[in-house]
Amino acid sequence: MAASESEIVRKTLERPDVHSRWIGDFYNDESGRFYDAAFDRIAARLSPHGISACLDAGCGDGAQTVRLAKRGFPVVALDFSEYVLGRARQNVAAHGLGQAVRFEHGSLLSLPFAEGAFRFVLCWSVLMHIPEVEKAIAELARVVAESGFLIVSEDNMGSLESTLARLARRVVGNAVIRRLRGKDPAKLAVSPAGAEYWRQTDAGPLLCREARISWLVAQFARHGLVLRERMAGQFLERHASLRHAWLKSALQRFNVFWFKYVRLPYPAMDNLLILQRIRGPDPRGRGRCTP
Ligand SMILES: C[S@@+](CC[C@H](N)C(=O)[O-])C[C@H]1O[C@@H](n2cnc3c(N)ncnc32)[C@H](O)[C@@H]1O
């Protein structure tokens, strides 16, 4: 993937537009219940390994930085957008957590940290926007300490929502979508990494990828990280684009129900991966190994 595409995404995300939209669409009291449950489970998984600084790679406005800090983890919050880092600083200060968080301006394509610098790394909904995703995966793996953990949240191309959306597109056809939406649908490209398209935003083009989870796991395995657990995240993400408050709320409640009681990751739109660094790369290039 060309470095110039990474530059296009960086310029888009340097501006406020997309961040404000994400914060408005994805962060509210109802979705907060899902995120809190998810971070309770993540903290319970990590805490037995000791409390140590966690890198929040691609921290955005710091919503998850705050969740980590509230659960006792010192955090290094990194993003390549100065704009959103400013918002994260305000958010963290408003929660009185300034002492627990250090901010860094930097890119996942070249992390400003030494090899093995962190026992814990979080990368939540970030890889999906990175054109040079293999480079970012190598960088994330590089900064995880031996036997340390990396938690990744990504959209799942194999989910019910993603599969139905692709099927509907095929059945209905681009011409009908163009007529309904008044604009051409984004061109979908399917690669080993997943199904991706360029969304045209007010700030510029933005890459969005629904990941092929097996590919993602295999890539991390090549860099010495093995999959310890694959969890469901939000079952559906459609609630973000819904205007009816009751329907939005119902879907978000369903997401919490699925996360807490059903747990099956394969049909869920968001998947959470808990990966652990073993000594060296897995020579078989496979994602699982026994502890
Ligand atoms: C969808 S937001 C998620 C933010 C945050 N992790 C959360 O869950 O609330 C993606 C974030 O990743 C950042 N980002 C994308 N590509 C990046 C890169 N190559 N290096 C650093 N940050 C990046 C964006 O600026 C944005 O803040």
Side-chain angles (χ1 to χ4, degrees), residues 205-273:
L206 179 70
L207 178 71
C208 299
R209 180 187 310 106
E210 287 161 7
R212 200 186 296 276
I213 301 293
S214 56
W215 180 87
L216 203 55
V217 169
Q219 292 302 307
F220 279 115
R222 283 183 53 213
H223 294 284
L225 280 111
V226 294
L227 181 69
R228 294 295 185 211
E229 196 175 343
R230 178 177 173 182
M231 290 189 247
Q234 299 189 84
F235 186 83
L236 295 164
E237 277 195 352
R238 277 294 132 135
H239 62 80
S241 56
L242 294 175
R243 296 289 154 240
H244 298 290
W246 64 269
L247 189 55
K248 206 176 175 74
S249 163
L251 292 191
Q252 287 176 327
R253 278 167 201 269
F254 181 75
N255 281 345
V256 175
F257 169 79
W258 191 275
F259 179 77
K260 283 190 172 170
Y261 304 109
V262 186
R263 295 180 169 214
L264 194 65
Y266 309 100
M269 184 56 165
D270 288 349
N271 271 200
L272 307 186
L273 307 178

Side-chain angles (χ1 to χ4, degrees), residues 84-185:
V84 89
L85 270 182
R87 284 189 75 144
R89 279 194 188 90
Q90 287 173 4
N91 196 4
V92 164
H95 284 86
L97 293 165
Q99 298 292 326
V101 182
R102 194 180 98 215
F103 293 93
E104 287 277 349
H105 180 236
S107 171
L108 264 84
L109 298 178
S110 170
L111 287 168
F113 308 111
E115 205 165 317
F118 295 94
R119 270 192 71 67
F120 305 129
V121 177
L122 175 79
C123 187
W124 192 285
S125 301
V126 182
L127 291 174
M128 60 181 71
H129 300 299
I130 300 186
E132 296 171 275
V133 63
E134 291 178 44
K135 206 166 166 182
I137 287 170
E139 273 299 88
L140 286 171
R142 184 182 67 77
V143 300
V144 179
E146 196 176 309
S147 30
F149 289 87
L150 168 67
I151 291 117
V152 173
S153 171
E154 281 292 291
D155 285 356
N156 168 22
M157 177 193 175
S159 65
L160 191 68
E161 180 176 335
S162 177
T163 307
L164 287 179
R166 283 197 306 279
L167 193 69
R169 197 180 159 122
R170 209 180 289 170
V171 171
V172 171
N174 286 348
V176 176
I177 297 176
R178 192 177 307 123
R179 196 136 4 108
L180 289 173
R181 292 212 186 137
K183 61 178 183 187
D184 281 330

Side-chain angles (χ1 to χ4, degrees), residues 21-80:
R21 180 117 192 246
W22 276 332
I23 294 161
D25 284 349
F26 285 101
Y27 295 116
N28 52 44
D29 289 349
E30 206 82 64
S31 62
R33 273 192 269 278
F34 161 75
Y35 291 119
D36 283 338
F39 276 81
D40 283 346
R41 202 179 290 168
I42 288 167
R45 195 77 165 73
L46 299 185
S47 300
H49 301 275
I51 291 290
S52 172
C54 181
L55 170 65
D56 185 358
C59 64
D61 84 325
Q64 320 303 17
T65 306
V66 166
R67 287 194 169 87
L68 286 168
K70 276 188 175 170
R71 285 160 180 79
F73 293 91
V75 185
V76 176
L78 171 137
D79 207 287
F80 68 178

